[in-house]
């Protein structure tokens, strides 16, 4: 059970008025295992997002705080301002049936124009394609010390208006660039936006 972002923020009134705790609690109860950050995760700013995820950022969840996510939020292209230092976990590996699934998360580079700039002044949103290819190469390099996966899955908070794969692959958009430019280390792309 996975998500490509926008789980919190831009929510229905019933969830929004309760600081999105009902949504987080429902996703935890349903067993969401991993999510990319979407632009709406930044609606109330980066500090508010960090308050919603486990302090370790590892996604293990704190069982004493039901309103924190019990799944990792991934953002391989969310960097400290003017650096290439990721501020969120870039990937997680989940084993299913003896197969190591490596999930890499990225959010649209246009996030700065989609949320209030006051809450993200300390962030840069880099090119999702560059970040995904970088982490996918790491997960496929044979070095167990830096994470390894049998299958690399990109969770991308970006997308297309089309549902036709050939159209998406040909379109002159950031997401089209990602689909065309994803390295052979990326086996699957899930997107939402």
């Amino acid at each position: 059970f996975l998500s490509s972002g926008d789980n919190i923020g831009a929510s229905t009134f019933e969830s929004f008025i309760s600081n999105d705790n009902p949504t987080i609690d429902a996703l935890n109860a349903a067993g969401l295992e991993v999510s990319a950050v979407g632009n709406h995760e930044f609606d109330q700013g980066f500090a508010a997002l960090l308050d919603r995820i486990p302090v370790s950022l590892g996604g293990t969840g704190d069982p004493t705080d039901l309103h924190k996510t019990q799944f990792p939020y991934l953002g391989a292209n969310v960097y400290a301002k003017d650096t290439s230092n990721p501020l969120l976990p870039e990937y997680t590996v989940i084993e299913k049936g003896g197969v190591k699934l490596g999930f890499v998360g990225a959010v649209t580079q246009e996030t700065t124009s989609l949320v209030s700039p006051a809450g993200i002044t300390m962030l840069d949103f880099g090119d999702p394609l560059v970040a995904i290819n970088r982490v996918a190469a790491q997960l496929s390099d044979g070095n167990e010390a830096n994470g390894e996966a049998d299958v690399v899955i990109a969770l991308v908070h970006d997308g297309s208006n089309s549902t036709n794969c050939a159209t998406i692959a040909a379109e002159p958009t950031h997401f089209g660039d990602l689909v065309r430019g994803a390295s052979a280390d990326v086996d699957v792309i899930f997107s939402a936006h």
Side-chain angles (χ1 to χ4, degrees):
F1 180 28
L2 54 90
S3 172
S4 292
D6 278 1
N7 301 309
I8 57 175
S11 55
T12 61
F13 178 77
E14 294 82 2
S15 186
F16 175 77
I17 196 66
S18 296
N19 208 21
D20 278 321
N21 289 332
T23 299
I24 292 170
D25 296 346
L27 291 171
N28 287 341
L32 184 62
E33 294 178 82
V34 60
S35 182
V37 287
N39 54 283
H40 283 296
E41 267 76 19
F42 297 93
D43 280 351
Q44 294 188 29
F46 188 58
L49 173 62
L50 290 181
D51 189 47
R52 310 319 307 269
I53 60 180
V55 175
S56 69
L57 300 181
T60 57
D62 177 354
T64 63
D65 186 349
L66 297 178
H67 302 313
K68 287 188 184 266
T69 65
Q70 295 175 359
F71 53 89
Y73 261 120
L74 308 177
N77 68 323
V78 180
Y79 304 116
K81 189 77 171 169
D82 299 324
T83 75
S84 58
N85 300 328
L87 291 176
L88 292 171
E90 299 178 285
Y91 72 91
T92 192
V93 177
I94 299 172
E95 191 168 328
K96 296 282 185 181
V99 177
K100 291 181 180 179
L101 304 173
F103 295 92
V104 183
V107 63
T108 177
Q109 202 168 357
E110 297 169 358
T111 299
T112 54
S113 66
L114 299 172
V115 301
S116 172
I120 57 170
T121 58
M122 72 293 291
L123 304 178
D124 281 332
F125 296 89
D127 186 335
L129 174 61
V130 171
I132 287 169
N133 282 346
R134 174 179 48 77
V135 177
Q138 173 186 326
L139 292 174
S140 303
D141 67 3
N143 181 355
E144 290 288 336
N146 67 13
E148 285 303 297
D150 300 313
V151 177
V152 175
I153 301 160
L155 301 177
V156 182
H157 192 77
D158 204 345
S160 172
N161 289 327
S162 178
T163 58
N164 180 288
C165 289
T167 301
I168 295 167
E171 66 189 20
T173 63
H174 293 298
F175 188 65
D177 292 342
L178 189 142
V179 169
R180 284 187 300 279
S183 77
D185 293 326
V186 177
D187 297 295
V188 180
I189 300 171
F190 285 99
S191 70
H193 186 35

